[in-house]
Amino acid sequence: MDTVANSFAKASIVEPMVVLLVVATLVGIISHRVKLPYTVLLMLVGIGLSSIGLVPNIDLTQELLLGVFLPALLFEAAIHFPLKELRLYAPTIAMLAAPGVILTALATALVLLIEISTFRVNAGMTFMHYLLFGTIIAATDPIAIIALFKQLGVKRKLAIILEGESLFNDGTAIVIYSVVLAALTSGVFSFKDGAYLFVTEALFGIATGAVFGALANLTLPFAKDPLISIAITTVAAYGSFIVAESLHASGVLATATAGLLLGNIGKRYGLEPASRMAVVGFWRYMSFFVSTLVFLLIGLKVNLLFLVDHATLIVFAFLAVLASRAISVFLPLGLLNRMGQPMTIKSATAIWWGGLRGSLSMVLVLSIPDTIAGKDTLIAMTFGVVVLSVLLQGCTMGPLVKILGLVETRSEAMTFMARCIARLRAISAQQKVYASMAIEEGVHDDSNIAARLHEERQTILAELKKREMDEDFIKAKKERIHYVEQLLSEVEEDSLRKSAESHLITEDDLNDLIKVTPS
């Protein structure tokens, strides 16, 4: 075993990568049988490999995660994130991703201080150490939860809020981490300087991302080769990050902004269908590849004996993180309700429990200079919280959302209707593309493509017609109508808000016209 472990550790980076992908493939196959989230099982396998000494020669360093992995994950999430829904839930997402992160860091430090003082635990750290831990652990990493939500069919609003929060809170966490670390190193903390640094890094990061996104959107229409389109998006993802970091701005926010602009403008208007499919496929695989390596590497970095030695502190830290997350989620509910962003207690509970911690926290704690006293304790607390968060929260999230009634229950009739609607949408899209090609390229319909599409559409409509008197189908139809009414209500609210923003109506008019329904 020692010989195998040594040869594995000395291998080049390519060989461990291939081995990890083989392991990840087997884990993916097994995860469907054991009914565990894929990323949770990856971490468990990583811990198992680490415990028997099979640790590859790949370190989860700051350069690897922040410079290579994080931009890929952020960009892939951003290009698929609908700008319309981001605007719809922007106040909630912004509240969680900015003040929520700061509140989480402060609350974590205070709860830890109270716990350790009450139980007289000798941690050997000051309040500034606890605050540094709070900034390290503040950002969420809900990759496992988002995948689970899609699998279970959880209400879309929850997935949008959690994904939107994670898209932007990394940038907030990194900035406040830098501020607190500088204060701990120098012994001087300036709230004014910290606030100025936070605002400037965020604004310059967003501006840099907007420039790269705009340039990519202008360039994409000239890229007729799908590979060139992929290259342009890659430059936008990593170029925005690198340039922003060189300007001492937030690379995270730069990449997220560039991805949002490309996904909501360039993908729709600047890309040909073949290029769009190639770009989406490339970034989906990049996201899968990177998230797979990250969760395996997290498991591989865990030293169980080291964590057992700090078990008491880890439990206190985990409870403090849960408490601080609850404060940052439940405290603003009243304010969000007044802002037209109502949220039920059940939805807030799912968002609270779904705030998993992940790789960013581990990298930040490993980046602490060795001169900082208590670094080993902070590492143990962070690693322990990440492991507990992914395993405990990740494994129980499914049952929790089912108990809370947040999973969309679908009858056989609803499934049948949904599939028919999806097929009708696909046929409609095909008809539009074919009609455009017929006009622009003079395509001759020798194979009766248009007739076949029309016939298929009529067949589906006939299938729907046959079942329209079934009791279950009538219920499904009512649910669909309710969904359409909700969607139209959201469109109405969005339009009314735009009218208020353009000063066509007053805020009082807006409040009178909008009918808010919690979801």
Side-chain angles (χ1 to χ4, degrees):
M1 181 64 72
D2 290 339
T3 305
V4 175
N6 291 335
S7 62
F8 194 15
K10 293 177 181 178
S12 69
I13 192 170
V14 176
E15 293 172 11
M17 284 277 193
V18 173
V19 172
L20 289 181
L21 278 177
V22 171
V23 171
T25 302
L26 295 174
V27 170
I29 295 170
I30 295 170
S31 67
H32 290 289
R33 297 184 178 275
V34 297
K35 304 299 181 183
L36 272 178
Y38 174 60
T39 47
V40 172
L41 197 56
L42 279 174
M43 177 181 279
L44 288 173
V45 170
I47 294 173
L49 291 174
S50 175
S51 64
I52 60 175
L54 292 176
V55 182
N57 189 27
I58 306 175
D59 289 327
L60 193 61
T61 62
Q62 184 175 14
E63 292 77 14
L64 186 61
L65 180 78
L66 298 185
V68 180
F69 287 173
L70 195 57
L73 290 172
L74 286 169
F75 191 78
E76 193 275 338
I79 62 173
H80 290 103
F81 202 95
L83 202 57
K84 178 183 175 182
E85 291 181 301
L86 176 62
R87 288 198 303 267
L88 190 62
Y89 304 120
T92 303
I93 292 170
M95 186 73 71
L96 291 171
V101 171
I102 298 170
L103 182 60
T104 296
L106 287 169
T108 299
L110 288 171
V111 174
L112 260 175
L113 184 64
I114 293 170
E115 288 176 333
I116 288 172
S117 300
T118 302
F119 291 93
R120 301 176 185 273
V121 178
N122 183 19
M125 294 188 292
T126 65
F127 176 77
M128 287 303 294
H129 286 89
Y130 302 142
L131 184 58
L132 181 63
F133 172 75
T135 65
I136 288 168
I137 211 71
T140 58
D141 185 12
I143 295 175
I145 296 301
I146 296 300
L148 184 65
F149 277 9
K150 290 178 181 178
Q151 181 182 343
L152 292 174
V154 173
K155 293 181 178 180
R156 182 161 176 78
K157 178 179 178 179
L158 291 179
I160 289 292
I161 291 174
L162 272 175
E163 193 168 0
E165 177 197 4
S166 68
L167 194 61
F168 295 103
N169 67 9
D170 287 350
T172 306
I174 291 171
V175 173
I176 61 174
Y177 163 80
S178 302
V179 171
V180 174
L181 182 61
L184 191 60
T185 304
S186 63
V188 179
F189 180 78
S190 171
F191 177 80
K192 181 180 177 181
D193 291 344
Y196 176 78
L197 178 64
F198 175 78
V199 172
T200 53
E201 284 205 15
L203 290 179
F204 280 116
I206 292 171
T208 303
V211 170
F212 270 84
L215 290 174
N217 280 327
L218 290 172
T219 310
L220 279 170
F222 299 99
K224 302 302 180 182
D225 188 335
L227 296 177
I228 300 299
S229 298
I230 292 174
I232 291 171
T233 59
T234 305
V235 170
Y238 287 96
S240 58
F241 186 90
I242 294 169
V243 171
E245 289 293 319
S246 67
L247 296 174
H248 302 289
S250 172
V252 169
L253 292 178
T255 299
T257 303
L260 281 170
L261 289 177
L262 273 170
N264 289 276
I265 300 175
K267 192 175 74 175
R268 187 172 300 173
Y269 303 111
L271 282 173
E272 294 180 350
S275 295
R276 184 174 65 250
M277 291 175 64
V279 167
V280 170
F282 171 78
W283 284 106
R284 276 182 178 168
Y285 177 74
M286 280 291 289
S287 175
F288 164 77
F289 175 72
V290 168
S291 59
T292 294
L293 289 181
V294 165
F295 276 91
L296 267 177
L297 290 173
I298 287 175
L300 290 167
K301 290 292 291 184
V302 171
N303 184 325
L304 291 178
L305 293 178
F306 178 63
L307 297 186
V308 169
D309 290 339
H310 296 82
T312 303
L313 270 177
I314 289 171
V315 171
F316 282 152
F318 183 63
L319 293 175
V321 169
L322 288 179
S324 64
R325 174 70 174 176
I327 292 170
S328 66
V329 171
F330 289 100
L331 190 63
L333 289 183
L335 177 60
L336 288 172
N337 190 53
R338 288 193 292 273
M339 294 169 66
Q341 295 278 299
M343 185 185 299
T344 63
I345 295 296
K346 289 183 178 180
S347 296
T349 301
I351 291 172
W352 162 62
W353 194 250
L356 276 68
R357 271 55 186 181
S359 55
L360 180 64
S361 298
M362 299 177 75
V363 169
L364 290 179
V365 77
L366 291 173
S367 304
I368 296 174
D370 294 334
T371 53
I372 299 294
K375 178 179 177 179
D376 286 345
T377 304
L378 288 171
I379 290 174
M381 290 165 63
T382 303
F383 276 46
V385 168
V386 170
V387 171
L388 286 176
S389 176
V390 173
L391 297 184
L392 181 60
Q393 293 172 260
C395 289
T396 56
M397 193 66 200
L400 177 65
V401 292
K402 289 179 180 177
I403 291 171
L404 293 173
L406 298 174
V407 177
E408 301 279 10
T409 55
R410 301 180 71 184
S411 63
E412 183 275 332
M414 177 58 77
T415 301
F416 171 76
M417 179 185 287
R419 290 185 176 184
C420 286
I421 292 171
R423 287 168 64 197
L424 288 171
R425 285 183 178 181
I427 292 169
S428 178
Q430 287 176 302
Q431 287 174 326
K432 288 178 182 178
V433 171
Y434 183 75
S436 175
M437 292 175 67
I439 294 171
E440 295 174 2
E441 303 176 13
V443 176
H444 297 290
D445 196 3
D446 295 331
S447 58
N448 295 320
I449 295 175
R452 283 193 286 109
L453 289 173
H454 177 73
E455 184 181 348
E456 185 179 356
R457 177 182 174 81
Q458 293 304 116
T459 301
I460 296 169
L461 292 173
E463 291 173 357
L464 289 169
K465 183 82 173 171
K466 286 179 184 177
R467 298 191 58 169
E468 66 179 1
M469 299 306 294
D470 291 352
E471 185 177 343
D472 289 341
F473 190 80
I474 292 171
K475 291 180 181 178
K477 197 172 182 179
K478 287 180 179 178
E479 288 182 35
R480 182 67 189 173
I481 291 171
H482 178 64
Y483 167 78
V484 172
E485 287 174 345
Q486 283 186 317
L487 184 62
L488 292 176
S489 177
E490 291 171 0
V491 172
E492 177 192 23
E493 182 178 336
D494 185 50
S495 177
L496 290 170
R497 289 188 183 281
K498 287 179 181 177
S499 296
E501 289 169 4
S502 63
H503 304 289
L504 177 65
I505 58 176
T506 66
E507 286 293 326
D508 289 336
D509 294 331
L510 177 65
N511 292 330
D512 289 338
L513 290 169
I514 289 180
K515 296 177 181 179
V516 178
T517 303
S519 57

